[in-house]
Amino acid sequence: MPFIGAIIQKKIDEALNDVTSSLSFLKDEKDYIKALPEQGMSQPEVLEKMKEYSSKGDVRWQDGKVSGTVYSGEEKLTRLLVKVYEEFAWSNPLHPDIFPGLRKMEAEVVRIACTLFSGGPNSCGAMTSGGTESILMACKAYRDLAYERGIKQPEMLVPVSAHAAFDKAAHYFGLKLIHIPLTKAMEVDVQAMRRAISKNTAMLVCSAPQFPHGIMDPIEEVAELAVKYKIPFHVDACLGGFLIAFMDKAGFPLKHPFDFRVKGVTSISADTHKYGYAPKGSSVVLYSDKKYRSYQFFIAPDWQGGIYASPSVAGSRPGGIIAACWATLMHIGESGYVEATKRIIKTARFLESELRKIDSIFILGKPEVSVLSIGSDTFDIYRLSNLLAAKGWNLNVLQFPSSIHLCITQLHTKSGVAEQFLKDVKDSIEEIMKDLDAKTTGMGAIYGMAQSVPDRSLVAEISQAYLDGLYSTDVPCSEKHMNGSPSHH
């Protein structure tokens, strides 16, 4: 009925306005540079302008109040990386004959990762720009392998908790994605995955751990399915790969193996730019055997510009990022990674133990690594997110079910940070309990509304406003505040 459509559209328009006005990175912008300066700026002028840009924003990640995002931030490491990048600023692995040292660095990063994840002599891999590309490459490889096996409409079986990069891969590569539900423990339901296997199944997926709740999927059980039905099996360890590889030596052994020691695991993705502490823009995708990696490669033998071959999505790639990743691994070394892992897991276990003592909230599942997801049956958890934001915290907002999470990094292991988080959570909950019926506003309200909309294309439309906002050079004309923000007190 037309009038119902008008009501829905009005709600969408309101949500679009709320999204735009809630984007903190658009606030307080008075002007934008929209054309090249007629005369180039001097180096001191450029650096002064750069400082102006780098100081923007209210969130100071250096204080340890941000979930994930920056995993080290150590000043000594930063200074080393700047020097390394300077040396390799103009390098490009597309030209190994011109930059042979860079080729060696990349090969060594991949081999080190293979060793960390218990790869055999035939294990191999490639560096990528990040976790999404690593996942894309594995999916592309298994799609092409499926085509070769005569599967015309390849399907991948992916837990609902797995990273959205698998959805992106399905969208990009024409794969059918079948989402597998979770158990009450927030692990993928192995029996549901077994029932979903068909003649079109091209790959199985598990996470180690998954991003939303930090839960390790039952990799050994799924690997048995992979072996039985002869299906490639990808373990996504993008988030925690460079923690779980060291947890045993750090004194926090995991309950189950997760890497190439498990028969049936054919590929692993792991981000060097997360708990590998390398600068952003580096990850690895690893294979148990070179026969799988060959399907990842792209080769155009007949191009007029010559035979074109590339291992991953990009052609040219920033050599400085590869060199900086290599330098990070060399500088920190095994002992450094073990010590960092020890501090992070110790902090995560402390926070989990203390948060479980608070009556009106709960921790989802039994996280083993560095992510703690918080929910509540007593109040709207997004109100807690808003109040913590007002206290300077920047947490991840989750949906299905409504929850928020803290991804613990080295910054949270600093003295007093974990204790301050617990205090702020308790103080915020005390504030919420004074008025349980208060309306949730800001981004929390948008997430709440988005979950209740059956037509997910409408939610996608709202998300477009966020993406458009990233490229906005228009000066904002109004401001709104979330409940719990300073304007309400």
Side-chain angles (χ1 to χ4, degrees), residues 287-306:
Y287 297 94
S288 61
D289 196 282
K290 289 178 183 176
K291 67 183 180 184
Y292 297 113
R293 185 178 63 178
S294 65
Y295 293 98
Q296 172 184 307
F297 296 158
F298 174 79
I299 300 166
D302 301 324
W303 180 41
Q304 286 187 326

Side-chain angles (χ1 to χ4, degrees), residues 213-215 349 352 356 363-369 371-373:
H213 322 107
I215 307 298
R349 300 283 165 91
E352 181 188 356
R356 286 192 186 277
I363 301 293
L364 281 82
K366 295 180 180 178
E368 287 188 77
V369 195
V371 170
L372 300 174
S373 183

Side-chain angles (χ1 to χ4, degrees), residues 158-474:
V158 180
V160 294
S161 56
H163 198 278
F166 290 99
D167 297 72
K168 183 182 275 191
H171 180 74
Y172 281 4
F173 301 143
L175 289 154
K176 183 179 179 182
L177 186 142
I178 298 176
H179 271 134
I180 308 300
L182 308 182
T183 65
K184 289 181 180 179
M186 310 309 284
E187 300 173 355
V188 69
D189 186 330
V190 179
Q191 293 311 310
M193 185 171 278
R194 181 186 59 77
R195 290 192 295 271
I197 291 173
S198 74
K199 59 183 174 55
N200 291 325
T201 305
M203 67 184 291
L204 308 178
V205 172
C206 278
S207 305
Q210 38 101 315
F211 171 83
H213 322 107
I215 307 298
M216 297 283 289
D217 279 326
I219 289 162
E220 288 176 298
E221 294 177 51
V222 174
E224 288 177 11
L225 296 178
V227 172
K228 181 178 180 180
Y229 296 100
K230 297 181 174 60
I231 301 168
F233 175 29
H234 182 79
V235 172
D236 175 31
C238 281
L239 174 60
F242 280 80
L243 278 179
I244 58 177
F246 299 103
M247 282 180 65
D248 202 6
K249 290 183 178 177
F252 296 98
L254 290 163
K255 293 170 188 170
H256 303 285
F258 53 85
D259 56 18
F260 291 127
R261 288 171 293 177
V262 181
K263 185 182 178 184
V265 172
T266 54
S267 56
I268 297 172
S269 48
D271 285 0
T272 40
H273 70 196
K274 288 192 174 80
Y275 293 102
Y277 311 120
K280 288 298 178 187
S282 71
S283 173
V284 290
V285 56
L286 311 172
Y287 297 94
S288 61
D289 196 282
K290 289 178 183 176
K291 67 183 180 184
Y292 297 113
R293 185 178 63 178
S294 65
Y295 293 98
Q296 172 184 307
F297 296 158
F298 174 79
I299 300 166
D302 301 324
W303 180 41
Q304 286 187 326
I307 299 169
Y308 180 90
S310 67
S312 53
V313 172
S316 290
R317 292 180 291 141
I321 294 295
I322 293 168
C325 176
W326 177 89
T328 303
L329 297 175
M330 294 298 102
H331 178 63
I332 295 175
E334 185 181 271
S335 62
Y337 282 110
V338 169
E339 283 305 308
T341 301
K342 193 180 294 183
R343 291 195 302 272
I344 288 167
I345 302 302
K346 185 179 178 183
T347 301
R349 300 283 165 91
F350 165 71
L351 281 171
E352 181 188 356
S353 173
E354 293 301 308
L355 288 167
R356 286 192 186 277
K357 294 175 185 176
I358 302 172
D359 289 338
S360 53
I361 58 172
F362 57 84
I363 301 293
L364 281 82
K366 295 180 180 178
E368 287 188 77
V369 195
S370 61
V371 170
L372 300 174
S373 183
I374 306 168
S376 176
D377 292 326
T378 307
F379 58 83
D380 183 348
I381 197 67
Y382 298 143
R383 288 185 65 198
L384 177 59
S385 176
N386 285 351
L387 285 166
L388 287 171
K391 296 178 188 295
W393 293 93
N394 188 289
L395 305 187
N396 295 90
V397 181
L398 316 173
Q399 58 179 351
F400 306 122
S402 300
S403 47
I404 57 177
H405 90 204
L406 176 67
C407 177
I408 292 128
T409 70
Q410 289 207 56
L411 293 157
H412 301 112
T413 68
K414 291 181 178 179
S415 177
V417 173
E419 290 77 8
Q420 185 63 49
F421 178 70
L422 291 169
K423 180 182 184 304
D424 288 344
V425 167
K426 290 172 185 175
D427 290 348
S428 298
I429 291 174
E430 191 177 321
E431 181 76 18
I432 290 167
M433 298 302 281
K434 290 176 184 175
D435 185 4
L436 283 173
D437 299 323
K439 187 181 176 185
T440 306
T441 59
M443 289 305 289
I446 291 166
Y447 262 89
M449 184 274 293
Q451 286 180 93
S452 65
V453 177
D455 185 349
R456 305 312 291 167
S457 66
L458 298 179
V459 179
E461 186 180 335
I462 294 166
S463 302
Q464 296 261 9
Y466 168 80
L467 295 175
D468 284 336
L470 297 177
Y471 298 95
S472 173
T473 52
D474 298 324

